[in-house]
Amino acid sequence: AAIDQKLIDRINVLAKKKEGTITPEELKEQDKLRKEYIKLFREGFKSQLKAIKVVDEKGNDITPLKLKQEKLKN
């Protein structure tokens, strides 16, 4: 899943609030949003890694076995 711009915008709004002006509810929301962002980022990054094929200068496929196995799972 892609990271929604609204998620990023809200994280940024909360991040700009000065200490003492952010409410306990907003701190909880901030933590939840950051965790969601990290989850989505990791999913996207894993997806990109699974699309990578590593080759040496001679054109031989030297993709690590672990990565090849992950590709086969999907």
Side-chain angles (χ1 to χ4, degrees), residues 28-66:
K28 287 178 187 175
E29 178 188 6
Q30 184 182 50
D31 184 55
K32 179 183 170 196
L33 294 174
R34 286 180 173 169
K35 287 177 181 174
E36 179 67 14
Y37 176 86
I38 290 169
K39 177 182 161 242
L40 293 170
F41 177 85
R42 286 180 177 156
E43 287 173 2
F45 191 71
K46 275 185 172 181
S47 179
Q48 288 179 349
L49 284 177
K50 289 178 185 175
I52 291 177
K53 179 179 180 180
V54 183
V55 294
D56 65 12
E57 61 277 351
K58 295 177 185 172
N60 298 313
D61 184 353
I62 57 169
T63 305
L65 181 59
K66 185 175 181 179

Side-chain angles (χ1 to χ4, degrees), residues 17-34:
K17 288 199 164 205
K18 299 210 184 323
E19 196 172 319
T21 63
I22 191 167
T23 67
E25 293 81 17
E26 288 172 327
L27 283 171
K28 287 178 187 175
E29 178 188 6
Q30 184 182 50
D31 184 55
K32 179 183 170 196
L33 294 174
R34 286 180 173 169

